[in-house]
Amino acid sequence: MVALLVGLRWRQLGHQLVRNPWMIVSLVIFGLMALGLLGLLASGVLALRAFAPEAAGAVMVIAGSILTLGWWIGAILTSSDELLAPERFALLPVRAGALLPGLVAASALGIGGIGTVIALLLMLIAWSASPLALVAAVLMIPVAFAVCVLGARVVAGLLASWLAGRRTRDLVAIVAVLLLSSSGLVLSAGLQAIASLDDPLAAFGGITRVLAWTPVGAAFGVPAAVASGQWGIAAAQLAIALATTGALWLAARAMLAARLVSPILNRGGGRIRGGATLDRLLPATPVGAIAARSLRYRRRDPRHILNTLMLVILPVLVIAPALLGSTDVELGVLGDGIVLAPSIGALMIATILQLDVAYDNDAVALHVFAGVRGADDRAGRVLGLGIIAVPTVIVLSIGACALAGAWQLLPAALGSSLGLGLASAGAGALVGAWLPGRAPAPEANPLGRGSSGGVQSLVALLVMAPMTLIVGGPAFGFAIAALWNPALGWVSLACGLGLGGLAVWGGIRWGGQVLDRRWPELLAEVGSES
């Protein structure tokens, strides 16, 4: 049974790679990124072993706890994309006790599991300062890995019924992305708070001691206790780690047995409201209809909601770290530059428009069957996003000027943000017709495979970035010059509106011509079966 399920998991991956060649490229790129992270981990543990071996125990307990929590939290985001979900076996004559080992092995032998094992092996370098601690760490690798994998299954099982509702899944996805995007800011604030304490090392040691007695860190606390000669503590933490593994196994088996008898089915998201108002406000043309549908999506689809939120959050994430670490003098120097921060969020418009067709998935067939002109499609999508993005960028620019206390730079702030935003819209409308990217199918996990567009979006970004900077460069350049001569802000605003408007017109026209020639190919690229 174990070999069968592991082979099935890898065959599923193989079939996906055959159907979608872009996924092969994506797998290679993410594999190289994973190797880079493992390389950083190897460099870190080597440096720790060479220069601070006495701190190895504390650092490894924290690192191991973060690794375990990563598995557990990640289970919330990937549970609905599980290729070997228990519901797939509900009609088969197999018991949970026989099925669970195979499911656990299939999860453990995935790409994430292999990377985790390599990370645990690299952590042995830090423990090598103490032979006894090294032996204990080697013996605890299976326990630590089992806690990661089994804990992820239990967390996913506990929340499976709750996550079956579409609104709940959407809310979890939105909160998760917001937390991930702001994790650097939270970490920076936390480190500054620890550094401000009278004895930061004592606080760091206290965190380590607490984690070593918890289920997420007990497996890593055992070698740390052995290294310091605390055999009683090591035995107690070993008991916690083994008890955690046993409890997780029993809980996972009970949840699997329940789902085999009573499968959990995903639920929809309720009725659509507010459509009549949109239809009255927008023109009764194909462009207006596409824009109205785009606005509905941006209110209901978590991927669109996240994109809209990132227009606001991205500038904040850029400004906040500088503000947190700045003195009053430094803040005065940074003040005027803050007014250009909304331009960073405006650059996201290109990626949002480039992925817009991919979000539609098979629904793009309606445009093909109805004979929608490519220019109408491009214009409708640009209008739908512009109704949200333009007021957002304007409000952010006003807020940045208010924060900096530099109202004389408002034309420059509007010129840089609107200029780059319009240039981004033109680039996204054009390039998205050639490289639409990939997105999860309807009802799939919005943060699952393809949620960021895949390799096509990476290639598209490499094309759109220089296009945006070339067209929006004059507006941004005059906005920078306005920091010394505020009158140049009006030149920036004129360049932004003029060149940006031409970019939008060109993107809609040429992108529409591309779509008129490529509708069947585009449908094949973004459809759920591709």
Side-chain angles (χ1 to χ4, degrees):
M1 180 67 73
V2 173
L4 175 64
L5 292 176
V6 172
L8 178 60
R9 174 63 178 262
W10 283 99
R11 282 196 297 273
Q12 288 174 326
L13 178 60
H15 292 161
Q16 292 172 344
L17 294 176
V18 171
R19 293 198 308 268
N20 185 8
W22 282 101
M23 188 177 175
I24 300 176
V25 182
S26 178
L27 188 63
V28 171
I29 292 177
F30 286 114
L32 293 175
M33 293 173 59
L35 289 177
L37 292 175
L38 291 174
L40 290 176
L41 175 61
S43 301
V45 294
L46 285 172
L48 185 65
R49 173 67 177 83
F51 301 107
E54 68 282 354
V59 174
M60 289 301 99
V61 169
I62 293 178
S65 300
I66 293 174
L67 180 64
T68 305
L69 286 174
W71 269 83
W72 292 15
I73 296 174
I76 303 174
L77 305 180
T78 60
S79 59
S80 60
D81 273 346
E82 191 177 356
L83 295 174
L84 298 177
E87 285 74 16
R88 297 178 182 268
F89 303 90
L91 298 180
L92 300 179
V94 58
R95 294 183 179 276
L99 188 60
L100 182 59
L103 294 178
V104 172
S107 300
L109 295 179
I111 297 174
I114 295 173
T116 301
V117 172
I118 295 175
L120 292 173
L121 292 175
L122 288 175
M123 292 170 68
L124 295 178
I125 299 174
W127 297 115
S128 62
S130 170
L132 292 176
L134 178 61
V135 172
V138 171
L139 295 176
M140 294 306 297
I141 285 179
V143 178
F145 188 53
V147 170
C148 290
V149 178
L150 291 173
R153 291 197 65 87
V154 170
V155 170
L158 287 173
L159 301 178
S161 179
W162 184 58
L163 292 173
R166 178 174 176 177
R167 291 183 178 178
T168 303
R169 295 196 304 272
D170 294 351
L171 177 62
V172 169
I174 293 170
V175 172
V177 170
L178 293 179
L179 290 177
L180 288 174
S181 61
S182 61
S183 59
L185 179 61
V186 174
L187 179 61
S188 176
L191 292 177
Q192 289 188 19
I194 294 176
S196 64
L197 298 175
D198 294 334
D199 191 355
L201 293 178
F204 187 76
I207 294 173
T208 301
R209 287 190 293 272
V210 171
L211 289 174
W213 288 97
T214 64
V216 298
F220 303 94
V222 173
V226 170
S228 59
Q230 298 174 319
W231 295 97
I233 293 178
Q237 291 173 350
L238 175 62
I240 293 174
L242 294 177
T244 299
T245 305
L248 290 174
W249 178 269
L250 294 176
R253 187 175 64 181
M255 292 176 185
L256 177 59
R259 291 179 68 175
L260 289 176
V261 176
S262 302
I264 297 175
L265 302 178
N266 289 340
R267 302 185 296 273
R271 296 187 303 166
I272 300 176
R273 299 181 178 87
T277 303
L278 292 175
D279 293 339
R280 287 194 297 269
L281 293 176
L282 293 168
T285 62
V287 173
I290 294 171
R293 190 193 63 183
S294 175
L295 288 172
R296 290 191 187 96
Y297 284 179
R298 299 191 192 287
R299 182 172 60 88
R300 290 174 52 84
D301 192 322
R303 300 166 301 181
H304 290 292
I305 295 173
L306 287 171
N307 287 333
T308 304
L309 290 176
M310 290 306 294
L311 288 174
V312 179
I313 294 173
L314 194 58
V316 175
L317 294 179
V318 174
I319 296 174
L323 297 180
L324 287 175
S326 300
T327 62
D328 293 339
V329 175
E330 293 171 335
L331 185 57
V333 176
L334 291 172
D336 290 345
I338 290 174
V339 302
L340 303 180
S343 305
I344 299 171
L347 292 172
M348 279 196 60
I349 295 174
T351 298
I352 295 173
L353 281 174
Q354 179 258 327
L355 276 171
D356 213 44
V357 173
Y359 289 156
D360 287 357
N361 203 269
D362 294 332
V364 179
L366 294 175
H367 287 202
V368 181
F369 298 151
V372 173
R373 294 175 56 245
D376 290 339
D377 175 274
R378 300 289 86 186
R381 296 179 189 275
V382 171
L383 177 60
L385 178 59
I387 291 174
I388 297 175
V390 171
T392 300
V393 168
I394 292 175
V395 170
L396 286 174
S397 299
I398 295 174
C401 291
L403 180 63
W407 291 106
Q408 73 278 8
L409 296 178
L410 181 58
L414 292 173
S416 63
S417 58
L418 290 176
L420 288 174
L422 292 172
S424 296
L430 174 60
V431 177
W434 284 105
L435 299 169
R438 289 284 298 164
E443 299 300 328
N445 184 357
L447 298 181
R449 180 179 62 85
S451 58
S452 58
V455 178
Q456 277 200 29
S457 285
L458 177 61
V459 175
L461 182 61
L462 295 177
V463 176
M464 294 186 297
M467 293 172 61
T468 300
L469 294 177
I470 290 172
V471 177
F476 191 66
F478 280 113
I480 295 176
L483 298 178
W484 290 271
N485 184 359
L488 293 176
W490 295 102
V491 180
S492 171
L493 182 58
C495 289
L497 294 177
L499 295 176
L502 288 175
V504 171
W505 174 82
I508 291 173
R509 179 182 177 183
W510 294 329
Q513 292 176 355
V514 172
L515 281 185
D516 288 334
R517 297 193 304 267
R518 296 192 71 247
W519 273 125
E521 292 83 356
L522 183 137
L523 175 60
E525 290 179 13
V526 304
S528 59
E529 296 301 324
S530 61

